[in-house]
Amino acid sequence: MKNIALALTGVAAISAAPAFAETTYLSFDLGYSELSAASDTIETLTGAAAFEGTSGKLTYGVELSGTQLTVGGGELNISEISAILGYDITPAITVFAGASVFEVEDLETTSLTLGAEYALGAFTFGAAYVNSDTDGSEQESGQVYAEYDANDITAYLAIAFDENQEIYLAGLSRDVAAYEIDLDGLFVDDLSIYSLAGSYNIRPNIR
């Protein structure tokens, strides 16, 4: 489970540095997945709620998430709360600061993030510095990422790194009136995690 915990910590850090070229929103998510590997079955139950708002040149957001992994009868509980504040220096340049608390069972990681983004047409490029403290052990890391968002298609590539390892994340999604589909991947050392999710619009306002 050590690699999974490290990878999820990296995802938590990435989530503290999102693209700000979005309108105000409130969202809720609930998901379940089951994966059979050798003689073990891995069950994942996830839930999340997020809010983002804007006021002039300011953007602010809060996100809560929780995950329960069940492997061979054992459970691993994961939770995160994060907040972020961004300011548009120019229409193309945004600086931001964020904070998050990430817990894996009794292990707690508090992270502070500083970064900047540059928007160029349908593309957004960003970089961030992250200072994390895990039960008194301090660690510094960095992030770089790029996002493409146009014509109902969004794609992203992100790399989180420190002196010991690199975590790669990539994703592709399409969101139209009739349906939404998302494909995401996480890669760290010998661990690869893929996620495929979709929804269909049965009728207006119901998916």
Side-chain angles (χ1 to χ4, degrees), residues 9-10 12 34 41 46 57 70 82 93 106 124 128 137 144 172 191:
T9 302
E34 184 175 313
T41 298
T46 60
K57 294 184 177 183
T70 303
S82 62
I93 299 175
D106 297 328
T124 300
S137 177
V144 292
L172 179 66
L191 174 69

Side-chain angles (χ1 to χ4, degrees), residues 48-124:
F51 167 78
E52 183 178 287
T54 58
S55 178
K57 294 184 177 183
L58 288 175
T59 300
Y60 46 89
V62 177
E63 182 173 355
L64 302 172
S65 65
T67 300
Q68 183 182 74
L69 293 175
T70 303
V71 183
E75 290 186 356
L76 178 67
N77 294 300
I78 302 162
S79 64
E80 181 192 5
I81 179 172
S82 62
I84 195 160
L85 177 67
Y87 180 77
D88 297 332
I89 297 177
T90 72
I93 299 175
T94 299
V95 294
F96 58 85
S100 67
V101 178
F102 181 81
E103 293 186 359
V104 180
E105 294 297 344
D106 297 328
L107 187 67
E108 181 178 288
T109 298
T110 301
S111 299
L112 301 177
T113 303
L114 295 174
E117 290 184 347
Y118 176 70
L120 181 63
F123 293 91
T124 300

Side-chain angles (χ1 to χ4, degrees), residues 114-135:
L114 295 174
E117 290 184 347
Y118 176 70
L120 181 63
F123 293 91
T124 300
F125 303 94
Y129 163 81
V130 182
N131 182 279
S132 302
D133 184 284
T134 303
D135 290 346

Side-chain angles (χ1 to χ4, degrees), residues 9 32 39 43 102 114 116 126 162 169 191 204 207:
T9 302
Y32 173 82
S39 59
E43 297 177 89
F102 181 81
L114 295 174
D162 59 24
L169 301 100
L191 174 69
R207 284 194 172 187

Side-chain angles (χ1 to χ4, degrees), residues 171-195:
L172 179 66
S173 66
R174 178 173 172 79
D175 188 356
V176 296
Y179 66 88
E180 179 181 359
I181 187 167
D182 299 279
L183 174 63
D184 299 279
L186 181 151
F187 315 93
V188 52
D189 296 331
D190 296 328
L191 174 69
S192 298
I193 301 175
Y194 300 92
S195 172

